[in-house]
């Protein structure tokens, strides 16, 4: 009977040892997987940081370009306002003089030139703001 008990204990010990070996193998496999996953995550973080830096550089470049375009649009708007004022003055001057005088014809031509300049500047403003 003691031999049977000894054999049972030996079998139990063998099973426990096999379970320990299995658990140890599983633990090693889990640790290797976690280390590989950690390495992948670190690579992803590095890649994400690099992408973010490129995005921020592009954002900065676009903001500077936007500021330059806004400044250009502001100058064109001033030019447009000046041209409108000149055209209005020319129209007012034209209205004061009789139509048959040669000077009135020159004023009319100048007004048409100003109106053409206004149309060009308006088109440029629309283009710049698009």
């Amino acid at each position: 009977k003691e031999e049977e008990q000894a054999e049972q204990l030996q079998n139990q010990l063998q099973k426990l040892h096999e379970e320990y070996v299995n658990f140890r193998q599983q633990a090693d496999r889990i640790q290797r997987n976690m280390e590989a996953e950690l390495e992948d995550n670190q690579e992803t973080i590095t890649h994400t940081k690099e992408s973010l830096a490129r995005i921020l550089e592009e954002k900065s470049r676009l903001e500077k370009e936007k500021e330059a375009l806004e400044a250009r649009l502001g100058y064109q708007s001033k030019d447009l306002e000046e041209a409108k004022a000149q055209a209005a003055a020319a129209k007012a001057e034209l209205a004061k003089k009789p139509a048959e005088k040669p000077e009135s014809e020159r004023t009319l031509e100048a007004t048409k030139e100003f109106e053409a300049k206004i149309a060009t500047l308006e088109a440029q403003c629309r283009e710049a703001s698009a």
Side-chain angles (χ1 to χ4, degrees), residues 23-102:
F23 284 137
R24 185 75 243 150
Q25 289 172 345
Q26 286 177 348
D28 290 344
R29 196 168 36 254
I30 289 169
Q31 183 176 357
R32 283 191 306 274
N33 289 342
M34 288 176 69
E35 287 170 353
E37 188 175 334
L38 178 61
E39 187 176 326
D40 288 346
N41 289 344
Q42 288 172 337
E43 288 175 10
T44 300
I45 289 169
T46 300
H47 176 71
T48 302
K49 284 180 179 179
E50 291 168 354
S51 295
L52 180 59
R54 284 191 301 275
I55 289 168
L56 291 174
E57 286 174 8
E58 181 67 7
K59 178 184 174 195
S60 176
R61 185 190 68 75
L62 289 172
E63 285 173 346
K64 287 177 184 173
E65 187 176 323
K66 177 186 170 198
E67 289 171 6
L69 287 172
E70 287 173 342
R72 187 171 144 216
L73 179 61
Y75 290 129
Q76 288 178 343
S77 294
K78 286 179 186 176
D79 289 345
L80 177 61
E81 291 304 316
E82 288 175 12
K84 283 182 179 179
Q86 289 174 355
K91 282 182 181 179
E93 191 65 31
L94 179 62
K96 290 180 185 177
K97 297 184 180 184
E100 60 272 1
K101 290 187 179 178

